[in-house]
Amino acid sequence: MSDDLLGAQLLVIIVVFALASWGKLHTPKNRMALVYAGAEGVLALLLLTTAALAPRLVTVSMLAAATWVVGELRTSRPDDGCGCFGRLSRIRIGWRTVARTALLALVAFGACWAPTSGLAVLADGPGLAEAVFLLELAVIAAVSPESTALLRRAAVPCDRRRVPLADTMRVLHASSAWRAHGTGLGAPSEVWRELCWRFVVYPAPGGDLVFAVSLADGEVRVAHVPAPSERDDSDLLSAPVPV
């Protein structure tokens, strides 16, 4: 394989890791997401600025492990989403997610033999490396299920998008808000939609738990609304306090 083709593999991994890190940092924070975002950001920077072999081997190992993890999640907990690109990757894990991750692992393996850093590849100016990079990036985007989700969102605004209640409940039950506050809840007492949000109400001790599920990006929020006998007049004039 020529140096230009090897350099293209390096550029693909740098861009994908940079996007994945950015996506995780713009998702409601949790410790594991921050760890992955930091690791991907550091690796992208090292691949861009150095030709050292160590960060390339770490990249291959991470993507090989990610392929195995995503494959396991596809059979055990597909509704949780992979979180590969943060909030955008909350969609159900299918074969496209597994194929995309495996393809990236192969690209990272090829990048191990690139003779220069990512910056050096870019410094050569437009050429074969950049052309192959754009082609491979287009293939990865076509394989990625997130691309389909983005196209659907662009075609129909979220306030006019038809979203089955079953899909909303799937997103709700896979969320960290549900894992933290939904254990032991029975059937919902109310469900309604307002523009880009669907609200699901569950009876709870001392009032109601109201879950708000975004129909735009799958974000889930939860608030506790006190029962009328347990709130004063000021509570009626204020929004529910998030849990």
Side-chain angles (χ1 to χ4, degrees):
M1 188 178 292
S2 70
D3 291 349
D4 285 335
L5 293 181
L6 294 171
Q9 316 312 305
L10 194 59
L11 295 180
V12 168
I13 297 300
I14 291 170
V15 169
V16 170
F17 267 21
L19 291 174
S21 178
W22 183 87
K24 291 182 179 69
L25 289 174
H26 287 75
T27 297
K29 305 297 186 297
N30 63 71
R31 184 174 300 176
M32 189 58 65
L34 290 176
V35 170
Y36 275 105
E40 290 165 341
V42 169
L43 285 172
L45 183 61
L46 291 174
L47 295 175
L48 183 66
T49 57
T50 74
L53 181 61
R56 301 180 184 188
L57 293 177
V58 172
T59 299
V60 174
S61 301
M62 280 186 61
L63 288 170
T67 302
W68 179 81
V69 170
V70 171
E72 288 294 309
L73 288 175
R74 179 176 177 267
T75 58
S76 61
R77 292 188 301 169
D79 290 339
D80 286 0
C82 71
C84 307
F85 294 90
R87 187 176 295 168
L88 184 61
S89 297
R90 288 178 173 174
I91 54 182
R92 183 180 176 89
I93 299 174
W95 69 266
R96 293 174 65 184
T97 305
V98 180
R100 188 264 311 284
T101 312
L103 179 59
L104 287 173
L106 291 175
V107 172
F109 182 74
C112 289
W113 280 269
T116 59
S117 67
L119 281 176
V121 175
L122 294 173
D124 289 340
L128 179 60
E130 286 74 17
V132 174
F133 157 71
L134 292 175
L135 178 61
E136 290 188 6
L137 208 60
V139 171
I140 291 171
V143 173
S144 299
E146 291 86 353
S147 301
T148 304
L150 282 174
L151 289 175
R152 287 175 179 171
R153 292 178 188 178
V156 182
C158 63
D159 59 336
R160 291 188 293 170
R161 193 178 305 149
R162 294 184 61 186
V163 180
L165 178 59
D167 289 353
T168 300
M169 300 306 292
R170 175 178 58 79
V171 172
L172 172 60
H173 292 158
S175 68
S176 58
W178 179 263
R179 289 192 292 269
H181 306 289
T183 304
L185 295 178
S189 58
E190 292 183 76
V191 178
W192 75 92
R193 174 174 177 171
E194 293 182 14
L195 299 178
C196 294
W197 291 86
R198 179 167 276 150
F199 297 88
V200 186
V201 181
Y202 289 88
D208 293 315
L209 278 178
V210 182
F211 291 89
V213 183
S214 171
L215 305 181
D217 57 17
E219 180 183 357
V220 178
R221 301 179 183 178
V222 59
H224 182 264
V225 181
S229 61
E230 299 186 17
R231 64 190 180 199
D232 55 30
D233 292 342
S234 62
D235 291 324
L236 298 176
L237 301 176
S238 60
V241 178
V243 175

